[in-house]
Amino acid sequence: MVNAFVANFKKNFIEMRRYFFDTVSSFIILFIIFYLIFFGYMVASGPNFGDTIDGIIVSYFMWIMFLASFQGVSDWISQEAERGTLEQLFMSPVRFEFQMIFHVISDFCINVLMIVPLMYLAAFTTGRTLNFDLFTLLYLIILGSISAVGVGLILGGIALIFKKISSLIQICTFAFLAILMFEVDALWFELLPMVKATGMMRSMAVTGTKFYQFPVQDHVILWISAALFLLLGIIIFRGFEKRAMVKGTLGQY
């Protein structure tokens, strides 16, 4: 178990180093997209733009964390299927579910180490100061990412059957960008993946609200959203997994 966990960390770091140009290019593209959104809002908002800058910064980088979380599972399954090693993972002494969890954890740690400094850099280059409490920041990112992993499990299950689902992933990507950029005062909207975590992080960035200063209701909604989508993701993934085993498509691409 421990060896499998460490191996996932090593594999991710090795791939980042081996494909260094792609790694650097992805960060540059993230900043280009951020500034396109930033200047687009500047033109649209006019003199009231200063009130929305913090929200844009937080929403955008929470969207990046969402992408990293939900795409990580589906992309990993698709890549293993393309390389012809997916069936080997299912026959490994370490259960496939544990290997997937190890991959998600290693991806999450690397993403936090990369994305949080980028968020501060974006704030610095736009002349803003983000009032982040480290514990509150990690608390919101972890719980928000859990709900995103649930979405990733659903897409990963679909990938087990259909192998290549890049078009569906792109639709989800931009749909959730729109969702995280707006605030809607409705319970059903706040229960969507990452929405409540993003709203609480906006409050933390603007007013310096700490973990214990949020209303109990906010914490309850945050935990319910995380548990709901993770549970839903596990159930749907296992359904697709059984279907793939019955059809014998795990070793096909």
Side-chain angles (χ1 to χ4, degrees), residues 113-124:
L113 291 173
M114 296 295 181
I115 291 173
V116 171
L118 286 178
M119 184 163 56
Y120 277 100
L121 181 60
F124 175 76

Side-chain angles (χ1 to χ4, degrees), residues 57-68:
I57 294 172
V58 171
S59 299
Y60 178 73
F61 283 97
M62 284 298 280
W63 174 66
I64 298 302
M65 280 301 302
F66 178 85
L67 292 189

Side-chain angles (χ1 to χ4, degrees), residues 100-117:
M100 186 164 55
I101 291 171
F102 296 155
H103 177 78
V104 167
I105 293 173
S106 61
D107 259 6
F108 174 80
C109 293
I110 293 172
N111 290 331
V112 168
L113 291 173
M114 296 295 181
I115 291 173
V116 171

Side-chain angles (χ1 to χ4, degrees), residues 11-20 23 110 114:
K11 177 176 177 288
N12 283 342
F13 278 112
I14 289 171
E15 287 185 343
M16 287 180 64
R17 189 175 69 248
R18 292 283 175 85
Y19 303 108
F20 182 73
T23 302
I110 293 172
M114 296 295 181

Side-chain angles (χ1 to χ4, degrees), residues 38-95:
F38 178 80
F39 288 117
Y41 263 97
M42 182 185 291
V43 172
S45 300
N48 296 322
F49 178 64
D51 299 332
T52 63
I53 297 177
D54 294 335
I56 293 171
I57 294 172
V58 171
S59 299
Y60 178 73
F61 283 97
M62 284 298 280
W63 174 66
I64 298 302
M65 280 301 302
F66 178 85
L67 292 189
S69 298
F70 93 82
Q71 285 187 357
V73 178
S74 55
D75 284 350
W76 177 62
I77 291 175
S78 297
Q79 286 175 5
E80 296 297 340
E82 188 174 356
R83 294 167 179 170
T85 54
L86 182 60
E87 194 171 25
Q88 296 175 26
L89 292 175
F90 275 91
M91 295 186 295
S92 169
V94 180
R95 286 175 60 92

Side-chain angles (χ1 to χ4, degrees), residues 152-166:
L153 287 171
I154 296 173
L155 294 175
I158 296 173
L160 285 178
I161 303 294
F162 300 103
K163 308 304 179 186
K164 197 172 181 65
I165 58 169
S166 54

